[in-house]
Amino acid sequence: VRVSVASGPQITVEDRGPGVPRELRSRIFEPFARGRVTDRTSGTGLGLGLAICRRIVDGHGGAINVEDRRGGGARFVVHLPAPEMTKA
């Protein structure tokens, strides 16, 4: 897993796993949504992690999405609004 932070602010998390199929991308951030069928049989995860991430990001007025990572895997990108600068 690789995590990076850029101005904007933008947070990117990449992995080299199996990725997220396009047909699951529209619902992967919903509570209790889980990945591929093979992932579901492993007995790990409840499908809440990405739903919690979306709620936190939404609460800050941002956006989160998933896309393919170049070379395989998934790339999750969090965009947050830039803080307003106040003059002292």
Side-chain angles (χ1 to χ4, degrees):
V1 174
R2 183 178 143 211
V3 178
S4 61
V5 178
S7 63
Q10 174 180 303
I11 302 165
T12 303
V13 179
E14 299 177 317
D15 68 29
R16 294 182 182 181
V20 179
R22 291 197 186 277
E23 63 271 12
L24 291 178
R25 292 182 187 180
S26 63
R27 64 181 191 87
I28 195 151
F29 296 99
E30 296 174 8
F32 305 108
R34 295 180 63 194
R36 302 169 190 255
V37 173
T38 55
D39 294 341
R40 293 181 205 151
T41 60
S42 70
T44 60
L46 296 174
L48 292 174
L50 290 173
I52 292 168
C53 289
R54 161 132 314 149
R55 286 236 170 131
I56 292 169
V57 170
D58 286 350
H60 288 280
I64 183 171
N65 62 49
V66 61
E67 54 195 45
D68 291 329
R69 178 189 166 274
R70 186 185 302 182
R75 181 175 192 252
F76 292 86
V77 182
V78 174
H79 298 276
L80 297 170
E84 292 185 26
M85 301 299 286
T86 58
K87 293 183 179 182

